[in-house]
Amino acid sequence: MNQRVPFYKHQLDSIEQESIAKSLKSEMLSSGPKCVEVEQQLKVFFNVKNCKLVNSWTNGALATLLAMNIGPGDEVIVPSMTFIATANVVEILGATPIFCDVDSETLLMTLDCVKSLVTPKTKAIILVHLYGQMCDVKSFKDFFGSTEIKLIEDCAHSFESDYKGDKPGTYSNAAIFSFYATKNITCGEGGAIITNDDELYEVIEQTVLHGMTVGASKRHENGAFKVWDMNVLGVKANLPDILASLLPSQISNAMTKLDLRIQKVLNYDTHLDLTDAKIPVRHHKGVHAHHLYPIYIPNGLRNYAIKTFMDEGIGVTINFRPVHEMNYYRNRYNIRNSELKISSDWGSGVISLPLYPNLEESNQNRVIDTLNEKIAPRLRKAAKS
Ligand SMILES: *Cc1c(COP(=O)(O)O)cnc(C)c1O
């Protein structure tokens, strides 16, 4: 029997075990000195003024949108080719997600995709750096910078990325990361918000913690109890120190781990028979974080491909079915696929292959052999008929 090839494997090890054990000995298990330390580390990594660790991308985005005072009557432009959370956070707050399509080659949002969707109700645009390749945030900043429209970056795939040398957080009002179990950097559940906007950050510090004016760790500062109030509505988005303790070593090693992922990517690029399949175009305008290795299986053969991989014990997944096609959004907004053609088409055929720094060579070869020997011939036949 062949060894199973999991879709994802984390690489947390003895360093993280020691770190979490230390954390358990501290007095308070909630957000404390460890979070402050990691926030400092992230501020340096991204060269930004402010950083707040959160317990998920989703809660971080809710806190950010709340701090921007976004709610009923407001519109937020989001891509349909993304994970549902990007749109859900808008919907949860009673605002309306306006779905945009993406560039046909890179599958990224561009100014051209977004411009025609802007109305007087548009309050924000969430730019998704899909699969680890960054959108041109500066072009959005140049166009929208003089308006009230806020730019938010969904960096769930793009921790290591840059665009022409500019990292996330450089041109947006806020950039939000995910440290969920399958992301490049993970603490099981977690995330971070970074921003250079001091005024916004002051409110985010409150909206991540119920809206309280003084956070728990600061209530007893300098020996005196600080009476707190609540000026804005917030969520409970703070990350506990226990989970934050898993992050410092991963952040330090992020670029080394990226190099290992790039080797796997090049191996796929060189050896996969993609004659009748395709991968997104890489724009080569900066560092690609290669969070995922997506390939498009045409001619309605995706289910066949998934079954073939699964029969071989190889974990594959779909990133993503377009959000507007989800039952909830279909029932609510009924957007036709012809209105979001590129996202709908890509979403009908995309699968992601296993990709992580410790993916064994023999296992990766099995993924390649399975595609080339069992799936590609079937694609060839379908392409001819
Ligand atoms: C994973 C993911 C999220 C959600 O992250 P959580 O930390 O699980 O809330 C949001 N956007 C994209 C593009 C993602 O892949």
Side-chain angles (χ1 to χ4, degrees), residues 10-23 245-246 249-250 253 257:
H10 75 72
Q11 308 124 73
L12 276 57
D13 210 334
S14 52
I15 296 175
E16 287 80 14
Q17 284 169 11
E18 275 169 38
S19 180
I20 206 165
K22 230 187 251 170
S23 202
S245 70
L246 300 175
S249 48
Q250 293 185 72
N253 292 328
K257 292 284 161 70

Side-chain angles (χ1 to χ4, degrees), residues 53-343:
L53 283 175
V54 287
N55 54 24
S56 68
W57 182 96
T58 302
N59 281 338
L62 286 171
T64 303
L65 293 170
L66 281 169
M68 292 172 172
N69 199 21
I70 288 169
D74 298 335
E75 294 178 352
V76 177
I77 299 173
V78 299
S80 181
M81 181 40 61
T82 182
F83 181 58
I84 47 174
T86 314
N88 285 358
V89 290
V90 177
E91 191 72 21
I92 287 167
L93 295 178
T96 306
I98 304 295
F99 292 103
C100 73
D101 214 350
V102 284
D103 179 77
S104 61
E105 296 194 327
T106 61
L107 304 164
L108 297 175
M109 292 163 83
T110 64
L111 257 187
D112 278 345
C113 305
V114 167
K115 269 185 199 164
S116 65
L117 301 174
V118 174
T119 76
K121 291 181 179 172
T122 309
K123 289 287 153 62
I125 301 166
I126 306 183
L127 298 163
V128 178
H129 303 312
L130 194 71
Y131 304 137
Q133 175 157 256
M134 278 181 74
C135 310
D136 181 359
V137 188
K138 184 171 183 296
S139 71
F140 283 84
K141 166 84 171 181
D142 289 345
F143 191 81
F144 292 105
S146 58
T147 72
E148 294 289 297
I149 296 173
K150 306 281 190 205
L151 299 176
I152 300 168
E153 294 172 78
D154 179 338
C155 301
H157 299 180
S158 62
F159 188 92
E160 304 86 345
S161 315
D162 70 51
Y163 189 95
K164 295 184 180 170
D166 295 324
K167 283 179 181 281
T170 307
Y171 297 110
S172 60
N173 295 90
I176 308 167
F177 299 86
S178 170
F179 304 138
Y180 172 67
T182 59
K183 308 297 195 210
N184 290 357
I185 289 192
T186 181
C187 57
E189 299 283 354
I193 307 167
I194 57 173
T195 175
N196 282 320
D197 183 338
D198 294 334
E199 235 170 89
L200 177 69
Y201 184 68
E202 214 174 288
V203 191
I204 286 175
E205 280 196 290
Q206 297 164 47
T207 54
V208 293
L209 199 64
H210 309 293
M212 290 163 85
T213 48
V214 185
S217 63
K218 290 186 181 153
R219 240 171 275 152
H220 298 94
E221 228 164 41
N222 307 323
F225 183 80
K226 288 208 182 78
V227 178
W228 51 268
D229 205 328
M230 176 188 148
N231 302 327
V232 290
L233 188 61
V235 288
K236 184 91 197 308
N238 60 308
L239 190 74
D241 269 11
I242 304 177
L243 295 182
S245 70
L246 300 175
L247 296 170
S249 48
Q250 293 185 72
I251 296 166
S252 307
N253 292 328
M255 300 317 274
T256 316
K257 292 284 161 70
L258 173 60
D259 286 340
L260 294 172
R261 274 203 313 284
I262 289 173
Q263 287 174 23
K264 315 286 169 193
V265 166
L266 293 178
N267 197 32
Y268 275 143
D269 286 351
T270 313
H271 297 291
L272 284 175
D273 177 0
L274 296 174
T275 324
D276 298 293
K278 64 182 176 192
I279 57 173
V281 171
R282 301 188 192 130
H283 58 45
H284 298 294
K285 286 177 181 162
V287 173
H288 191 320
H290 293 291
H291 172 52
L292 294 164
Y293 195 97
I295 72 172
Y296 177 82
I297 307 286
N299 294 315
L301 287 170
R302 174 166 63 188
N303 284 350
Y304 169 77
I306 292 175
K307 183 168 186 322
T308 307
F309 278 121
M310 280 177 58
D311 287 348
E312 290 292 316
I314 295 166
V316 294
T317 184
I318 297 175
N319 305 98
F320 300 93
R321 286 185 57 214
V323 179
H324 76 274
E325 279 189 32
M326 298 289 137
N327 283 330
Y328 173 88
Y329 287 101
R330 258 276 139 78
N331 293 336
R332 191 159 164 81
Y333 298 109
N334 194 23
I335 300 168
R336 287 186 308 261
N337 283 359
S338 57
E339 291 175 53
L340 294 165
K341 219 178 153 317
I342 293 152
S343 307

